[in-house]
């Protein structure tokens, strides 16, 4: 049994229309012949119809190559100058451009060059291609911080998207600074202001100031939560560095997900407070937000290096909070609470956690132990039992090499 858990929204029915189904062996097919796959990213469309495609990074003796297959829609996110759909992997970069990392932004895709430059193609409704306008591009464009200056020394990219639209995109540079681009009418870029005319930033802007200056930190990752369609994104940064290792800061849409004791949106990165936030045992090593497209099941689970889990979220998510409380007070819904692991057997320690993020009934969390066992809580239909029932607490669904029947 695998020792890591795949994010369960990559279920087969989402990515099979254009040859992107992950259970097919594609090594050696199309432009992959004779190349070694070193990275892969999948965009699964809503109900299989929006933007299902697959990007593959390969390595040869002469360097890296970028390939794509699947659906392009109307925006040309493969960057080849057209909107043709490909049903086999096809090389999409010319030989003078070499990618080192690839990133899925819905109908906007990004890659970082081996020299740290950032390129994007596809949808650009909110300026997330960072080229100074909101016009889509079916060829690769290099991201800028102003009309004449490119964003350089980029280490990673984190794009917040739903319904196919890329609303905000964040880039972390090698000097640990964080830069944002995209829609900011509700302050989702974390800059401390809400933009109106225009409502978007179409060049990358650095997050600065005493409340949101990450330059003294090492940002492990920025993950995001999105609810339904529209600008309902929450961003959570996992920090490492002097005095901040294993802590988080969150900003954006706040249906209790920021964990600061309120449901008020935040336009600057904010630390959790209240509840058990000050009592979190150990350092945070993983952050997993979960959403349901239409039900409002909005919550976040964090995992610490001591194998403890904590969760926060809005009222309708209490069935997947895992804290053994069917009725929650308003305060409990907006602060981190300890997940009840009372059913965890001696010798088992939680080492990984993931969730079912889907447009259907995948309302479950999954926790992996050091012994290779799996616990789950939430909606049973989503954790393999095919029963329309909930578990309020984590319980074993896979133990000692066997699935446990209901």
């Amino acid at each position: 049994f695998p020792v890591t858990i795949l994010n369960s929204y990559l279920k087969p029915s989402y990515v099979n229309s254009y040859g992107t189904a992950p259970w097919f062996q594609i090594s050696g097919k199309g432009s992959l012949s004779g190349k070694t796959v070193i990275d892969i990213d999948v965009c699964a469309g809503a109900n299989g119809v929006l933007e299902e495609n697959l990007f593959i990074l390969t390595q040869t003796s002469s360097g890296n190559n970028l390939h794509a297959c699947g659906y392009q829609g109307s925006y040309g996110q493969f960057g080849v100058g057209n909107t043709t759909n490909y049903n086999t992997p096809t090389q999409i970069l010319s030989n003078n451009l070499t990618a080192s990392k690839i990133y899925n932004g819905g109908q906007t895709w990004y890659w970082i060059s081996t020299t740290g430059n950032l390129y994007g193609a596809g949808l650009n409704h909110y300026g997330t291609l960072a080229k100074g306008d909101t016009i889509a591009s079916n060829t690769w464009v290099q991201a800028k911080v102003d009309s004449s200056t490119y964003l350089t020394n980029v280490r990673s990219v984190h794009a917040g998207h739903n319904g196919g639209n890329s609303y905000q995109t964040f880039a972390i540079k090698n000097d640990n600074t964080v830069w944002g681009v995209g829609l900011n009418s509700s302050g989702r870029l974390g800059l401390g202001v809400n933009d109106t005319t225009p409502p978007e930033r179409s060049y990358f802007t650095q997050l600065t100031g005493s409340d949101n200056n990450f330059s003294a930190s090492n940002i492990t990752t920025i993950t995001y939560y999105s609810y339904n369609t529209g600008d309902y994104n929450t961003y959570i940064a996992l920090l490492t560095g002097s005095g901040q290792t294993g802590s988080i800061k969150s900003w954006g849409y706040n249906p209790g997900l920021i964990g600061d004791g309120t449901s008020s949106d935040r336009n600057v990165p904010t630390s959790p407070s209240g509840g058990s936030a000050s009592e979190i045992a150990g350092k945070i090593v993983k952050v997993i937000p979960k959403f349901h497209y239409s039900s409002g099941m909005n919550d976040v689970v964090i995992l610490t290096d001591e194998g403890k889990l904590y969760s926060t979220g809005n009222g309708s998510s209490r069935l997947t909070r895992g804290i053994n409380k069917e009725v929650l007070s308003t305060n409990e819904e907006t602060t981190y609470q300890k997940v009840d692991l009372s059913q965890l057997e001696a010798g088992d320690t939680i080492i990984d956690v993931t969730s079912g993020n889907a447009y259907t009934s995948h309302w479950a969390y999954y926790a992996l132990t050091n012994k290779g066992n799996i616990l789950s809580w939430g909606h049973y239909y989503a954790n393999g039992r095919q029963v329309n029932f909930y578990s309020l607490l984590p319980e074993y669904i896979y133990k000692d090499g066997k699935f446990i029947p209901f």
Side-chain angles (χ1 to χ4, degrees):
F1 197 83
V3 295
T4 57
I5 305 174
L6 291 176
N7 193 319
S8 59
Y9 80 71
L10 296 178
K11 71 173 191 173
S13 62
Y14 277 12
V15 285
N16 63 5
S17 299
Y18 294 93
T20 61
W23 68 94
F24 290 147
Q25 181 175 335
I26 59 174
S27 296
K29 295 187 177 180
S31 61
L32 299 185
S33 179
K35 300 178 178 67
T36 300
V37 174
I38 59 174
D39 195 9
I40 189 169
D41 204 350
V42 176
C43 181
N47 297 319
V49 297
L50 271 183
E51 67 281 351
E52 48 192 35
N53 46 53
L54 178 71
F55 274 58
I56 307 152
L57 187 63
T58 65
Q59 187 177 56
T60 66
S61 59
S62 59
N64 295 349
N65 297 111
L66 186 58
H67 315 256
C69 64
Y71 179 69
Q72 284 209 84
S74 303
Y75 303 105
Q77 59 263 41
F78 292 173
V80 293
N82 59 49
T83 57
T84 303
N85 301 322
Y86 299 146
N87 59 13
T88 58
T90 302
Q91 184 171 328
I92 58 174
L93 283 188
S94 58
N95 292 330
N96 64 328
L97 295 174
T98 304
S100 64
K101 297 176 183 177
I102 49 178
Y103 297 93
N104 162 27
Q107 294 183 84
T108 310
W109 278 81
Y110 303 93
W111 57 273
I112 298 175
S113 73
T114 52
T115 56
N117 296 324
L118 176 62
Y119 295 83
L123 185 64
N124 192 36
H125 278 352
Y126 303 107
T128 51
L129 290 180
K131 60 189 183 74
D133 57 37
T134 57
I135 302 170
S137 176
N138 60 16
T139 59
W140 297 108
V141 294
Q142 187 174 346
K144 292 181 175 181
V145 298
D146 58 43
S147 60
S148 59
T149 309
Y150 292 108
L151 184 71
T152 58
N153 298 312
V154 178
R155 187 176 80 226
S156 62
V157 174
H158 309 270
H161 62 92
N162 58 53
N165 289 320
S166 180
Y167 286 88
Q168 294 89 24
T169 297
F170 295 91
I172 302 175
K173 296 181 62 171
N174 290 327
D175 62 2
N176 301 323
T177 54
V178 179
W179 300 67
V181 68
L183 187 61
N184 195 44
S185 56
S186 299
R188 303 289 193 254
L189 290 180
L191 301 171
V193 296
N194 296 12
D195 293 329
T196 55
T197 309
E200 70 279 335
R201 301 283 179 106
S202 57
Y203 293 116
F204 272 100
T205 303
Q206 183 181 349
L207 279 68
T208 59
S210 59
D211 291 331
N212 57 4
N213 187 1
F214 295 130
S215 62
S217 306
N218 181 3
I219 310 301
T220 302
T221 188
I222 297 175
T223 187
Y224 83 99
Y225 156 92
S226 63
Y227 170 60
N228 214 317
T229 57
D231 185 26
Y232 297 100
N233 291 333
T234 309
Y235 297 93
I236 306 171
L238 178 59
L239 313 180
T240 62
S242 177
Q244 295 185 311
T245 297
S247 61
I248 58 175
K249 285 183 179 287
S250 310
W251 65 96
Y253 179 55
N254 186 26
L257 300 180
I258 290 176
D260 64 346
T262 77
S263 56
S264 300
D265 293 357
R266 299 297 181 186
N267 64 11
V268 294
T270 303
S271 298
S273 59
S276 61
S278 60
E279 303 171 6
I280 293 175
K283 298 173 181 178
I284 300 169
V285 296
K286 193 167 187 180
V287 179
I288 298 294
K290 181 191 64 58
F291 76 99
H292 187 270
Y293 183 71
S294 59
S295 71
M297 305 287 272
N298 318 310
D299 38 69
V300 175
V301 164
I302 58 176
L303 170 67
T304 73
D305 61 357
E306 295 186 6
K308 306 298 183 183
L309 298 170
Y310 299 82
S311 68
T312 186
N314 73 6
S316 62
S317 68
R318 59 185 179 272
L319 295 176
T320 52
R321 291 284 301 280
I323 60 175
N324 198 21
K325 294 181 180 180
E326 295 189 36
V327 180
L328 304 176
S329 71
T330 299
N331 184 56
E332 289 170 330
E333 294 168 352
T334 58
T335 61
Y336 278 98
Q337 304 291 311
K338 185 182 294 184
V339 173
D340 189 332
L341 296 176
S342 58
Q343 298 196 50
L344 194 65
E345 296 185 358
D348 256 348
T349 301
I350 304 298
I351 62 171
D352 198 7
V353 64
T354 192
S355 70
N357 293 343
Y359 294 85
T360 54
S361 300
H362 281 223
W363 311 337
Y365 279 100
Y366 309 87
L368 180 69
T369 76
N370 58 317
K371 292 183 176 181
N373 299 324
I374 299 176
L375 295 88
S376 181
W377 63 102
H379 194 199
Y380 271 150
Y381 187 81
N383 62 25
R385 295 210 171 161
Q386 305 297 306
V387 177
N388 191 16
F389 188 71
Y390 289 92
S391 172
L392 294 176
L393 296 179
E395 62 176 80
Y396 285 96
I397 62 169
Y398 182 86
K399 187 172 178 290
D400 299 329
K402 297 179 181 179
F403 283 99
I404 299 173
F406 180 71

